[in-house]
Amino acid sequence: MEHPLLFLSLLLDALGLPAHGGNSTLAKILAPHMQYSFLSMIICIVLAKMATSNMQMIPKGVQNIMEAFVGSLEDFITEQTHDKKKTLIIFPMIATFALYILISNYMGLIPGFMSPTSNLNVTLGCTAISIFTYHALGFRFHGIKYLKHFMGPVPAMAPVMFPIEIFSHIGRILSLSIRLFGNMVSKEILLGLLFMLAGPYLAPLPIMFLGVLVCLIQAFIFMMLSIVYSVEAMAEGH
Amino acid sequence: MSGVKEELASLFRSLSFAATISLSVVFSMFAGVLTGYYLDTWLLKGRIYPWLTIICLFLGLGGGVKNFLILSRRFSKEAEKKEAPKDEKDDEVQ
């Protein structure tokens, strides 16, 4: 298959670096999804830096946008947790996910860029962080009694409930990662097909409009589910 | 204008909830079937072939139902909360 035209890959090609994937470690680090993942990380850091470097009492520009984003997100999480302390514990992770995934998703709509989230490895990485964090939070809030949550309410039912819980957690991993990946990659493939088959000008426009919506919804869902699972793990016994 | 915005927001929310719940049920079942199939073919070399797959399918289904219950409870609670302040306002107007 032909390589899509990616600006960062062309740039790295010009510098003589392996930019289209391969088996060496450097090629793996500089694969296209990694390049664009780094780019969206850099955008996140730059946004944070711009928002906090010149803080004013009456916010302007980037500070204003970021304050609105952070404030509304904090309210949203507090609605779920009902506890300021718990909110502050999970807030950094959730805010990072929201910003990173939103930027990554929308990057795919610009010609010459791709969404890092249209690669399963990236979404699986985000999911791993989320899953590991909520289990760690469960152990932190309940100690070893967290394992009792897996056993169900009745001790006699434990041999049946334990596999059920395991499968439900595996299902969470799969649904969290594959949903984001599938939506993004389907959008990209559809856009590519329409560009090639139906003519370059207005044919991909409806899919692009749908893409704008899907990007926002998927970022919201990922954030929402991370919150719900964390809250569920931190909640007092069932 | 604000009415349209609220409609859009509620549409958006229910769309995301529907997608979320359905997929977490489906993938939980999928995980069960896959685990059962691999246990059957790779661990037991097909000696009791369909049975472990079927048992794990039902366990996965149970896991899916559990995910469904957790998510739908969480989401319906949130929807009620979104509805509640509006009702209070309506009462005040009346």
Side-chain angles (χ1 to χ4, degrees):
Chain A
M1 195 182 152
E2 219 170 304
H3 287 298
L5 187 69
L6 299 172
F7 286 142
L8 283 185
S9 301
L10 290 180
L11 203 70
L12 286 179
D13 259 348
L15 291 175
L17 290 165
H20 293 290
N23 283 329
S24 68
T25 312
L26 187 66
K28 277 178 186 164
I29 290 175
L30 292 177
H33 63 276
M34 293 293 281
Q35 298 160 16
Y36 285 94
S37 187
F38 287 138
L39 180 64
S40 78
M41 285 176 203
I42 290 169
I43 293 175
C44 285
I45 294 171
V46 168
L47 268 180
K49 195 74 192 162
M50 273 166 76
T52 53
S53 61
N54 187 16
M55 298 255 269
Q56 282 163 349
M57 196 59 204
I58 300 162
K60 266 189 226 162
V62 181
Q63 191 195 346
N64 202 355
I65 296 170
M66 289 300 275
E67 268 187 22
F69 173 75
V70 168
S72 57
L73 193 59
E74 199 179 338
D75 287 345
F76 184 74
I77 301 175
T78 312
E79 269 177 27
Q80 302 282 332
T81 55
H82 307 297
D83 191 346
K84 205 77 184 167
K85 212 181 102 212
K86 286 178 183 173
T87 306
L88 288 180
I89 290 172
I90 60 170
F91 180 75
M93 182 185 79
I94 303 294
T96 312
F97 274 151
L99 205 59
Y100 170 72
I101 292 177
L102 200 66
I103 290 173
S104 305
N105 286 353
Y106 274 122
M107 221 185 293
L109 288 173
I110 309 170
F113 289 74
M114 69 175 271
S115 307
T117 40
S118 65
N119 189 303
L120 186 55
N121 298 305
V122 175
T123 57
L124 211 53
C126 290
T127 310
I129 295 170
S130 172
I131 299 285
F132 181 80
T133 308
Y134 86 71
H135 283 306
L137 280 176
F139 277 113
R140 176 177 161 182
F141 273 76
H142 300 291
I144 202 71
K145 277 183 188 163
Y146 180 62
L147 285 177
K148 267 192 184 169
H149 286 196
F150 289 88
M151 299 300 180
V154 189
M157 295 274 281
V160 183
M161 288 305 281
F162 190 68
I164 285 182
E165 291 279 347
I166 295 291
F167 286 137
S168 92
H169 282 265
I170 295 175
R172 286 175 186 187
I173 298 174
L174 287 179
S175 76
L176 210 56
S177 57
I178 293 179
R179 177 190 307 111
L180 183 56
F181 157 71
N183 277 288
M184 286 307 120
V185 83
S186 68
K187 189 202 73 190
E188 295 218 333
I189 288 175
L190 208 55
L191 276 181
L193 278 179
L194 281 175
F195 265 122
M196 282 191 289
L197 293 178
Y201 295 110
L202 288 177
L205 210 60
I207 303 299
M208 279 209 159
F209 175 69
L210 207 64
V212 171
L213 208 68
V214 165
C215 289
L216 190 61
I217 288 184
Q218 291 308 318
F220 175 73
I221 287 179
F222 196 97
M223 185 193 86
M224 178 82 201
L225 282 182
S226 302
I227 297 171
V228 169
Y229 293 152
S230 304
V231 171
E232 205 63 38
M234 288 190 289
E236 292 306 319
H238 290 272
Chain B
M1 190 60 207
S2 67
V4 175
K5 227 177 192 178
E6 269 173 25
E7 283 282 304
L8 268 181
S10 82
L11 179 73
F12 182 82
R13 198 173 294 116
S14 38
L15 207 66
S16 56
F17 289 170
T20 308
I21 292 176
S22 59
L23 271 182
S24 65
V25 174
V26 168
F27 276 117
S28 178
M29 273 174 75
F30 186 69
V33 173
L34 215 63
T35 313
Y37 182 75
Y38 271 97
L39 283 180
D40 253 349
T41 53
W42 170 77
L43 192 69
L44 295 173
K45 313 279 186 215
R47 261 169 289 174
I48 50 167
Y49 167 56
W51 290 107
L52 222 50
T53 312
I54 292 173
I55 291 169
C56 283
L57 163 69
F58 283 111
L59 290 177
L61 187 60
V65 171
K66 210 211 144 227
N67 269 346
F68 175 78
L69 286 178
I70 286 179
L71 290 175
S72 65
R73 195 173 54 205
R74 178 71 50 184
F75 291 157
S76 62
K77 225 186 268 174
E78 191 182 320
E80 274 168 23
K81 224 177 287 157
K82 286 275 188 288
E83 296 285 322
K86 226 168 76 182
D87 292 344
E88 282 169 18
K89 250 183 222 168
D90 287 349
D91 291 343
E92 279 169 18
V93 170
Q94 284 163 6

